[in-house]
Amino acid sequence: MCLGIPGQVVRMLDGYGGQLILVDVAGEHRKVNVGMLPDETFARGDWVIIHMGFVVEKTDLAGADQALASLELMGSGAADGGDPDFGR
């Protein structure tokens, strides 16, 4: 699994060569590109991992929860004294 943001598929978007889907990410709807996974199909309710506007992995709820936990863990470093500029 790569570092990415989990989201849940809302629907496929018409046009765009079948490469855009609408995804719910923490209550916000975002258009993301599925072109990196040409052999996958996507349906409402599917979970995906998004990196820089592209779906890089299709996952399940457990995988989405794990990705979110990893993001929260990384963010906790600044809150408890870590270097907030680390990695910039």
Side-chain angles (χ1 to χ4, degrees), residues 49-62:
I49 303 298
I50 305 159
H51 182 74
M52 297 185 68
F54 290 87
V55 173
V56 294
E57 181 180 344
K58 190 172 176 181
T59 189
D60 56 14
L61 180 58

Side-chain angles (χ1 to χ4, degrees), residues 22-80:
L22 192 64
V23 176
D24 183 312
V25 177
E28 300 270 336
H29 284 185
R30 308 231 182 249
K31 294 177 186 176
V32 295
N33 190 302
V34 297
M36 291 178 62
L37 302 176
D39 297 329
E40 288 285 353
T41 58
F42 299 90
R44 181 178 181 86
D46 286 345
W47 286 96
V48 295
I49 303 298
I50 305 159
H51 182 74
M52 297 185 68
F54 290 87
V55 173
V56 294
E57 181 180 344
K58 190 172 176 181
T59 189
D60 56 14
L61 180 58
D65 286 343
Q66 182 181 9
L68 187 58
S70 296
L71 290 171
E72 289 171 349
L73 180 63
M74 288 178 54
S76 70
D80 57 5

Side-chain angles (χ1 to χ4, degrees), residues 1-29:
M1 181 177 86
C2 75
L3 178 60
I5 299 170
Q8 192 169 29
V9 176
V10 174
R11 65 182 171 91
M12 294 295 297
L13 294 174
D14 293 331
Y16 305 105
Q19 291 197 357
L20 287 186
I21 59 176
L22 192 64
V23 176
D24 183 312
V25 177
E28 300 270 336
H29 284 185

